[in-house]
Amino acid sequence: MRLILFGPPGAGKGTQAKLLGQRYGIPQVSTGDILREAIKKGTPLGLEAKGYMDRGALVPDRVVIGIIEERLQDRDCAKGFILDGFPRTIAQAEALSLALKRLRRDLDCVININIDHEELWKRLTGRRVCCKCGEEFNIYYKKPSQDNICDKCGSGLIQRDDDQEATIENRLRVYKEQTEPLLGYYQKENKLKTAAGQGDIPSVSQKIYQILEENGL
Ligand code: AP5
Ligand code: MG
């Protein structure tokens, strides 16, 4: 199965991609996670990406396209993959299509997680992440038992650097301007399906599983 999970920041792409990956035994390929990991390790990629990410701008196409072209050739992607946060521009979508052609593979489906502005604002401003183990919490939806302490490993919780309000505003604007036009692109390719992103995490998963089943995936 080769899928794209699409949607604005906070729609739940990462959350659902992880669950889908576990269910179908295929990797979640998240450009955001790959870039954050590079920043943590202080690699040249991380150093280049950090400035863009901190202000909620897109990392240049050539950088993320290079990451994805390499990643899709890894063995674990042979059975399929779930793209989370890529593509985000028309140029990225075109590069993906070429890369898949070279690998003689085809994209099965693009699932757009649809969600209203108020809800995604709460999800993003409420998110807290463990600085050590990466476990995610949310002060509105999944409160830690003790304020700012990770239930899993006892370390401190922090906000993602780009979850500050001004940066969220910028991420949402960039989504509207540069990423949302991809809906038309995949609609034309007849690949686009939409899942309502409201409701708790398991109920959104159910809607996505249903779409996949209806499409014989
Ligand atoms: P990236 O990491 O992709 O972030 P994003 O898409 O902007 O935002 P999120 O990851 O927050 O959204 P999500 O849809 O994954 O939601 P999540 O499941 O986490 O990108 C970060 C940056 O990297 C970009 O700004 C850019 O700079 C750069 N970048 C990455 N890819 C790039 C590319 N292709 N090109 C150029 N630059 C790129 O959920 C959010 C929160 O809500 C969590 O707390 C979660 O627990 C909670 N939640 C999820 N679902 C539910 C639910 N159903 N009910 C209640 N809470 C929920
Ligand atoms: Mg994400």
Side-chain angles (χ1 to χ4, degrees), residues 44-88:
L45 168 65
L47 292 176
E48 179 171 6
K50 186 167 175 18
Y52 296 101
M53 291 174 78
D54 282 353
R55 58 177 196 274
L58 293 184
V59 173
D61 284 337
R62 69 175 162 77
V63 176
V64 280
I65 289 170
I67 292 175
I68 288 295
E69 283 175 346
E70 239 178 69
R71 182 67 184 90
L72 295 187
Q73 292 182 51
D74 288 345
R75 265 183 91 143
D76 64 336
C77 287
K79 277 199 301 181
F81 50 78
I82 301 153
L83 286 173
D84 154 19
F86 183 96
R88 268 173 141 101

Side-chain angles (χ1 to χ4, degrees), residues 4 86 202 208 215:
I4 295 175
F86 183 96
I208 295 176
N215 286 277

Side-chain angles (χ1 to χ4, degrees), residues 4 8 11-12 15 24 38 40 54 61 77 86 91-93 103-104 108 110-111 132 140 142 144-145 183 216:
I4 295 175
T15 305
Y24 294 100
K40 216 168 154 186
D54 282 353
D61 284 337
C77 287
F86 183 96
Q92 291 179 21
L103 293 167
R104 295 180 204 287
D108 291 309
V110 178
I111 299 183
K132 195 158 178 207
Y140 302 109
K142 187 187 168 195
S145 336
L183 290 173

Side-chain angles (χ1 to χ4, degrees), residues 10 12-15 31 36 57 59 85 88 92 127 160 171 199:
K13 303 180 294 295
T15 305
T31 38
R36 274 185 292 279
V59 173
R88 268 173 141 101
Q92 291 179 21
R127 169 164 46 198
R160 231 168 79 171
R171 285 161 65 198

